[in-house]
Amino acid sequence: MTSTLPSLLISIPEGVLDLGWGHPSPHLHPTEALQIASERVLSQQSTVPLQYGAVQGFGPLLEGLAHFLSSQDAYGNLPVDPASLFFTAGASQGIDLATTIFARPGDTVFVEEPTYYLIGRIFLDHGLKVVGVPTDRDGLDVDALELMLQDGYRPRLIYVIPTYQNPTGATLTPERRHRLIQLAQRYGFTILADEVYQLLHYGPPPPPPLTTMDDPDHGCIVSLGSFSKILAPGLRLGWVHASSGIVQRFVDSGVAASGGGLSHFAAAMAQSTLDLGLLQENLDNLRRVYTMRRDAVARILSTDLAGLLDFNQPDGGYFFWLTLADGVDADELLPIARKAGVSFRPGTAFSSVGMFRDSLRISFSLYDVGDLAEALSRLGQAIRSA
Ligand SMILES: Cc1ncc(COP(=O)(O)O)c(C=O)c1O
């Protein structure tokens, strides 16, 4: 049945190569693996995936995911306890639920400046005040954070993307991770560590998730992972990884009590892909393809677009953060670029106070190397004519 109403979040005008979307490539969706998984889920004569699920999440996947994550270099090959996990309907929903649990209207949430451009909406929905903290090439500027705390700010939450940050691609150094946790413990705020890109590294692994550094008895960190970036975002499945006390707060939430475990059916699907070895296979393939794309973009930026902009090569994730030379304004560049058949997300979208007029984010997740090369050629043309 055809419909005139949209099926997808993404929409791209005809003829435009849009580097603004941080969505996975449709050609990389593991349709075959998920077909096999769904046949297995539905043919086992079990009605379990069709019932309300256990509040913490689908038990076999809690165990399966804990085992899987423990085997990953990006988790430092550290043991992950199933008791430290709670399933969400994706990282976005996990952040929304964490905000319900840990904050009240009128509270302050610190975010990185710049940060993931859609996150502010979640905090504003909860009546929070969003305040930016400066960042640099090593991620959150912890000295600046400490000064703000000494100046009297009392945030209830800080939202950080410690690994392959969206939009900058930066990764927080181990030393800064320690200091951030010390500050959270001293000033009594909770860290929401959005780590959805943790497993997408294109070289040596990043530092392990922040929660692995937390105090197991007096936790202050909620790490958020997602199947959106390693399997498929349509599943709407992610996880909280935290100390058992924090996991209990999620288990006790009203939404889980009423509706049971979140994304229960999707969790059964994910468990099936794990059992069949298809999750690891898919992750290996994503890393291989995205590494080629990342390398191609870096090569083109440093040759064909040399002198037009500055950039930092990301070690993982989806994004390049570009800083334009010669005072070119990214907001003004955008309509010119669109006319040239390319689009991007301007830097101001990532700031709560309209900073980063000279910057923009491009993603290499959606297009193959040929389209990326064409898109960057159009971008170069647009910058030259701006
Ligand atoms: C930093 C960050 N957090 C969260 C999300 C969304 O995650 P999910 O699909 O698990 O809700 C994205 C997607 O682009 C993201 O970049």
Side-chain angles (χ1 to χ4, degrees):
M1 196 177 79
T2 53
S3 166
T4 50
L5 298 175
S7 304
L8 297 178
L9 181 60
I10 198 166
S11 77
I12 299 179
E14 191 71 32
V16 173
L17 293 167
D18 194 342
L19 304 178
W21 294 94
H23 290 201
S25 194
H27 304 296
L28 289 174
H29 286 323
T31 40
E32 223 174 281
L34 287 170
Q35 190 178 345
I36 298 168
S38 67
E39 276 160 16
R40 199 162 168 266
V41 164
L42 291 170
S43 71
Q44 284 178 336
Q45 306 292 317
S46 165
T47 56
V48 169
L50 304 177
Q51 256 302 4
Y52 284 104
V55 282
Q56 190 190 342
F58 183 57
L61 186 63
L62 288 170
E63 286 174 352
L65 182 66
H67 187 258
F68 176 79
L69 296 176
S70 309
S71 73
Q72 299 295 315
D73 292 346
Y75 274 66
N77 301 103
L78 296 165
V80 175
D81 186 342
S84 69
L85 300 175
F86 172 87
F87 291 135
T88 65
S92 312
Q93 190 271 333
I95 291 161
D96 187 73
L97 182 52
T99 310
T100 302
I101 294 169
F102 294 102
R104 289 292 166 266
D107 283 347
T108 295
V109 55
F110 277 177
V111 299
E112 292 159 297
E113 192 74 75
T115 191
Y116 171 41
Y117 77 111
L118 294 171
I119 210 64
R121 299 259 298 273
I122 295 181
F123 298 130
L124 294 176
D125 283 352
H126 286 268
L128 267 57
K129 288 195 267 289
V130 180
V131 176
V133 181
T135 60
D136 60 23
R137 289 188 169 217
D138 290 328
L140 184 79
D141 180 342
V142 189
D143 289 331
L145 170 65
E146 185 161 17
L147 282 177
M148 289 171 74
L149 294 164
Q150 285 167 357
D151 274 355
Y153 278 102
R154 286 295 171 267
R156 182 77 63 184
L157 301 172
I158 185 166
Y159 169 79
V160 286
I161 309 165
T163 302
Y164 315 137
Q165 207 250 13
N166 178 358
T168 65
T171 295
L172 197 64
T173 62
E175 193 258 331
R176 288 190 183 190
R177 288 170 189 245
H178 274 292
R179 287 191 52 210
L180 169 61
I181 296 167
Q182 281 170 350
L183 289 172
Q185 287 164 343
R186 191 179 324 149
Y187 288 93
F189 55 86
T190 298
I191 303 171
L192 304 185
D194 184 340
E195 294 171 314
V196 297
Y197 299 105
Q198 182 75 23
L199 293 163
L200 289 182
H201 56 92
Y202 310 135
L210 214 59
T211 209
T212 59
M213 297 166 74
D214 205 3
D215 177 337
D217 298 320
H218 303 284
C220 64
I221 303 168
V222 181
S223 279
L224 297 129
S226 179
F227 282 89
S228 293
K229 311 297 176 185
I230 59 171
L231 200 54
L235 289 171
R236 303 317 302 141
L237 179 65
W239 64 91
V240 158
H241 180 197
S243 63
S244 55
I246 288 187
V247 167
Q248 193 57 46
R249 307 267 313 258
F250 282 88
V251 166
D252 290 341
S253 66
V255 68
S258 170
L262 297 155
S263 294
H264 175 65
F265 185 81
M269 291 281 290
Q271 172 57 21
S272 214
T273 61
L274 241 181
D275 270 354
L276 296 164
L278 300 172
L279 183 64
Q280 185 64 57
E281 203 175 282
N282 191 55
L283 181 56
D284 292 342
N285 187 45
L286 291 175
R287 278 206 206 107
R288 186 181 58 76
V289 173
Y290 289 147
T291 304
M292 284 191 302
R293 294 183 185 179
R294 189 273 316 256
D295 290 348
V297 170
R299 196 171 53 247
I300 296 167
L301 291 177
S302 55
T303 52
D304 301 359
L305 279 78
L308 298 179
L309 48 85
D310 188 25
F311 71 94
N312 215 13
Q313 174 161 313
D315 296 325
Y318 281 0
F319 308 109
F320 279 78
W321 181 243
L322 313 181
T323 304
L324 298 162
D326 303 326
V328 178
D329 182 307
D331 284 313
E332 288 168 16
L333 176 65
L334 189 57
I336 301 170
R338 285 202 179 130
K339 253 191 215 150
V342 64
S343 193
F344 55 78
R345 201 70 65 197
T348 48
F350 303 91
S351 169
S352 51
V353 287
M355 288 168 68
F356 312 112
R357 294 196 73 89
D358 62 352
S359 302
L360 58 106
R361 186 196 78 177
I362 59 170
S363 165
F364 53 88
S365 57
L366 192 59
Y367 294 107
D368 63 21
V369 168
D371 281 344
L372 287 169
E374 175 59 28
L376 291 176
S377 155
R378 293 178 190 178
L379 181 63
Q381 197 186 314
I383 298 174
R384 282 186 196 95
S385 70

